[in-house]
Amino acid sequence: MKTELDNKSGDNNSAGHSRRRFLRGVAGTAVLTVAAAETSLAQSPVPAQTPAGDRQSRAERALRLRQQAAQSQRKLPTLPQPNNGDEDVYANRIGCYSKALPHNELGVVDSRAYQALLQAVTTCAHSDYEMIPLGGSVKLANPQAAMAFQLEGGDPHQFALVAAPRFNSAEQAAEMAELYWQAVTRDVAFAEYDSNPLVKQAAEDLSKFSAFGGPKSGKRVSPATLFRAATQGDLIGPYLSQFLWLDVPYGALKMQQRYRVPEAENDQMTDYDEWLRVVSGHAPSFGLSFDETPRYLRNGRDLAEWVHRDFSYQGFLNAALILLGYGQPAIDPYNPYLASATQDGFSTFGAPYILDLVARVANAALKAAWYQKWQVHRRIRPEEFGGHLHNQMSELAEYDIHAELLTSPVLEIVYNQQESYLLPMAYAEGCPTHPAYPAGHATIAGACTTVLKAFFNENFVLPKPVTVGENGLSPESYHGASLTVGGELNKLASNIALGRDAAGVHWRSDSTEGLKLGEAVAISILTDLKATCHEQFRGLRLTRFDGTTVIV
């Protein structure tokens, strides 16, 4: 078995709060997790012949397999967990996540409440979590999940991320400008991007930012690259992945992907008093109004609502069912049963196995994300940053916000629409009550997509692709460049990750780095599972988001 992985942990700008003592010496990165497991488990593969009645012998082999997996994880070195340092730089904590805690009239978190949060994530004592003051009735989202263990694949604390952009950085300014542009173009159909003047203005403005991290064409953002990611397949064909449009074979049913979507111009938290209420942990005063007609997803507002209501691995379960419906041509050529004259896969390497793994890696990815969110980064949410920006633009406060954002024409567009500089949100309740970095949706997307690429043929060209027009009532035939399984799976992952950006609840880097984290989690799980297989096969082959090949 061979594995080609990178070790990218980023610069250690500022160490996070102390790691838990009982996990010290265990943590590392995904590359070390997979490599160590590979070395240890490959030494004692499951025998090709296992006597059917030798239960004691099999129990001993199973014990050794579990022990070897645990020992390989235990030997991993502890690597730095860098954060952006904003928690240390800004004494008033304006650069950090603080939603649901008490805030003053400027939206600055109560210092004693934030200190109580730090106390809890440092001691991890149940009593300290219960002592965190809340500003309203809305509770914090599962901070203790950051300390959960994962017994399959790498421990959640063995994965590292690069530090998030800092509060005053050019990167943060560019990401915030992109979020404002995503907000003001939510009702523009993806099919109209090449001709819409507001989309053209967004592309021109984002091209001027010195540290914009999105894809470009000829060193400039264009309508064809706007709000997309840069993985293989992302820039080919329609904005949305085929797996968000094609009918889903759902058991005996075939499900059309028409969904309940909000009405146009249905932005939330644009009034300062309502913004302050929601940020301080109170339930929203208003709600969304919905279109009476279910529609295929056609614009940013539709996509934002889809990732508002989906369950964790829904999009990837749908993709798996669609791909299974194509039969053998869509199966990965490395599947050992494709060459068998007498056997088919089922409980291993068959549909039940694949469907289980898609779901199984999702929660493991969340555990890794929650560790990064609560214990390492505690990155501010865009809606909180938007409040600070509003107060600066209104000359009520002075903050260290990068000048490139302050001169963006999108701020004037937003102000003329709502008489505030707040980020228009797609959800009445705003963002969830957990820190921004990385995005949970993105981390799940990275993990589930990695599993799908491991078991399906990435080079298979999808037959009869579709596109959807402005009204979203029915799909139309797509006639353009070929759309492959690998490319459309990458696009699905990006759509679901960046769809949360379209809602205003995440930053671009939350999404792009979350995809990488989820990918690493899935590879570590596949590495452990490979050692449990009885079949003789060459390994699981897949293409990472960065374009490199991995064989597990």
Side-chain angles (χ1 to χ4, degrees):
M1 173 172 56
K2 66 176 180 178
T3 310
E4 304 166 24
L5 295 172
D6 296 333
N7 179 4
K8 299 178 181 178
S9 59
D11 297 330
N12 189 6
N13 295 327
S14 173
H17 278 267
S18 61
R19 310 288 303 277
R20 303 291 67 77
R21 285 196 296 271
F22 60 85
L23 280 177
R24 194 163 287 142
V26 180
T29 59
V31 57
L32 295 176
T33 300
V34 176
E38 169 188 333
T39 301
S40 178
L41 296 177
Q43 293 171 354
S44 300
V46 176
Q49 290 82 31
T50 303
D54 191 356
R55 294 183 179 179
Q56 183 60 36
S57 177
R58 180 173 174 83
E60 290 298 325
R61 285 193 294 271
L63 174 62
R64 289 197 300 271
L65 192 63
R66 291 172 187 266
Q67 289 173 333
Q68 288 164 359
Q71 289 291 344
S72 69
Q73 302 293 343
R74 185 173 182 267
K75 293 175 183 178
L76 295 176
T78 300
L79 293 184
Q81 294 286 351
N83 63 43
N84 64 14
D86 282 345
E87 194 165 69
D88 298 324
V89 171
Y90 301 104
N92 60 1
R93 315 299 189 185
I94 61 164
C96 301
Y97 170 85
S98 62
K99 185 168 182 174
L101 303 182
H103 293 73
N104 67 17
E105 66 278 3
L106 290 176
V108 175
V109 65
D110 179 87
S111 61
R112 290 173 296 181
Y114 195 87
Q115 191 58 42
L117 172 63
L118 290 184
Q119 173 75 7
V121 299
T122 299
T123 67
C124 293
H126 178 76
S127 57
D128 285 339
Y129 286 112
E130 293 298 306
M131 292 300 293
I132 300 172
L134 299 179
S137 59
V138 178
K139 300 178 182 180
L140 297 174
N142 202 194
Q144 292 193 60
M147 303 309 298
F149 286 93
Q150 175 69 25
L151 299 182
E152 194 171 57
D155 182 80
H157 292 207
Q158 288 174 347
F159 304 96
L161 293 176
V162 298
R166 300 190 66 167
F167 181 87
N168 64 349
S169 66
E171 293 91 343
Q172 187 108 318
E175 291 190 7
M176 193 65 184
E178 182 180 34
L179 292 176
Y180 276 108
W181 283 115
Q182 284 182 282
V184 300
T185 59
R186 279 192 190 117
D187 296 317
V188 178
F190 298 128
E192 305 296 322
Y193 269 27
D194 60 346
S195 60
N196 184 272
L198 198 58
V199 167
K200 180 180 179 181
Q201 188 179 3
E204 290 174 349
D205 183 47
L206 292 175
S207 296
K208 298 174 184 176
F209 281 80
S210 61
F212 179 69
K216 296 180 180 180
S217 175
K219 298 184 179 182
R220 295 190 64 80
V221 182
S222 71
T225 67
L226 189 68
F227 309 145
R228 297 197 187 211
T231 64
Q232 291 183 339
D234 259 303
L235 300 179
I236 299 174
Y239 181 91
L240 284 185
S241 170
Q242 294 295 299
F243 297 113
L244 289 170
W245 281 334
L246 294 174
D247 291 350
V248 182
Y250 205 79
L253 303 174
K254 182 160 282 191
M255 184 181 73
Q256 287 188 342
Q257 293 204 65
R258 296 176 63 185
Y259 297 99
R260 184 174 183 242
V261 298
E263 293 180 335
E265 300 181 7
N266 205 351
D267 294 329
Q268 307 293 317
M269 294 179 65
T270 59
D271 172 78
Y272 187 83
D273 289 340
E274 177 67 5
W275 171 85
L276 187 58
R277 272 181 47 81
V278 174
V279 166
S280 298
H282 296 278
S285 304
F286 310 99
L288 295 176
S289 54
F290 287 88
D291 192 332
E292 294 181 356
T293 304
R295 299 181 188 272
Y296 288 89
L297 306 182
R298 68 226 151 114
N299 56 34
R301 193 177 301 279
D302 293 355
L303 178 60
E305 183 60 17
W306 194 92
V307 294
H308 190 201
R309 304 296 177 183
D310 63 321
F311 59 81
S312 57
Y313 54 92
Q314 178 177 332
F316 309 99
L317 173 62
N318 289 348
L321 293 170
I322 291 169
L323 290 171
L324 288 168
Y326 292 127
Q328 182 172 321
I331 300 299
D332 186 83
Y334 276 48
N335 189 301
Y337 288 102
L338 289 184
S340 175
T342 61
Q343 305 171 76
D344 280 328
F346 194 70
S347 297
T348 58
F349 294 93
Y353 191 59
I354 297 169
L355 295 173
D356 170 72
L357 279 176
V358 168
R360 195 188 309 184
V361 299
N363 198 49
L366 279 181
K367 291 177 183 176
W370 251 242
Y371 168 68
Q372 296 291 331
K373 283 174 177 287
W374 287 106
Q375 299 300 125
V376 181
H377 300 285
R378 294 182 287 280
R379 187 186 189 185
I380 189 174
R381 287 278 184 164
E383 74 183 45
E384 298 173 291
F385 190 99
H388 300 324
L389 177 61
H390 168 84
N391 284 323
Q392 173 150 333
M393 295 293 292
S394 303
E395 299 183 351
L396 298 174
E398 183 69 27
Y399 297 124
D400 192 17
I401 296 174
H402 198 281
E404 288 181 359
L405 175 59
L406 300 178
T407 57
S408 172
V410 74
L411 297 183
E412 182 179 356
I413 293 173
V414 168
Y415 187 84
N416 289 338
Q417 289 179 350
Q418 62 190 38
E419 295 186 355
S420 78
Y421 295 101
L422 299 169
L423 178 64
M425 304 297 293
Y427 310 150
E429 77 281 7
C431 72
T433 53
H434 49 82
Y437 188 72
H441 269 73
T443 310
I444 290 172
C448 294
T449 299
T450 299
V451 166
L452 292 173
K453 288 190 288 188
F455 287 94
F456 291 102
N457 184 356
E458 294 183 65
N459 296 319
F460 178 67
V461 175
L462 292 171
K464 299 181 181 179
V466 300
T467 187
V468 169
E470 185 177 0
N471 63 19
L473 293 178
S474 61
E476 306 165 1
S477 295
Y478 163 74
H479 304 286
S482 296
L483 304 178
T484 64
V485 167
E488 290 302 290
L489 286 175
N490 283 340
K491 192 187 294 181
L492 175 65
S494 299
N495 288 159
I496 289 178
L498 296 176
R500 298 287 282 178
D501 299 14
V505 302
H506 273 295
W507 310 87
R508 173 176 281 272
S509 52
D510 296 346
S511 300
T512 56
E513 297 305 316
L515 290 176
K516 297 175 188 177
L517 176 61
E519 179 181 71
V521 170
I523 289 173
S524 76
I525 290 175
L526 292 174
T527 300
D528 275 5
L529 289 178
K530 198 263 185 183
T532 71
C533 294
H534 189 271
E535 293 86 354
Q536 295 180 352
F537 70 109
R538 293 177 292 171
L540 300 167
R541 184 184 183 93
L542 62 100
T543 307
R544 291 179 58 190
F545 291 117
D546 66 5
T548 60
T549 299
V550 177
I551 301 177
V552 179

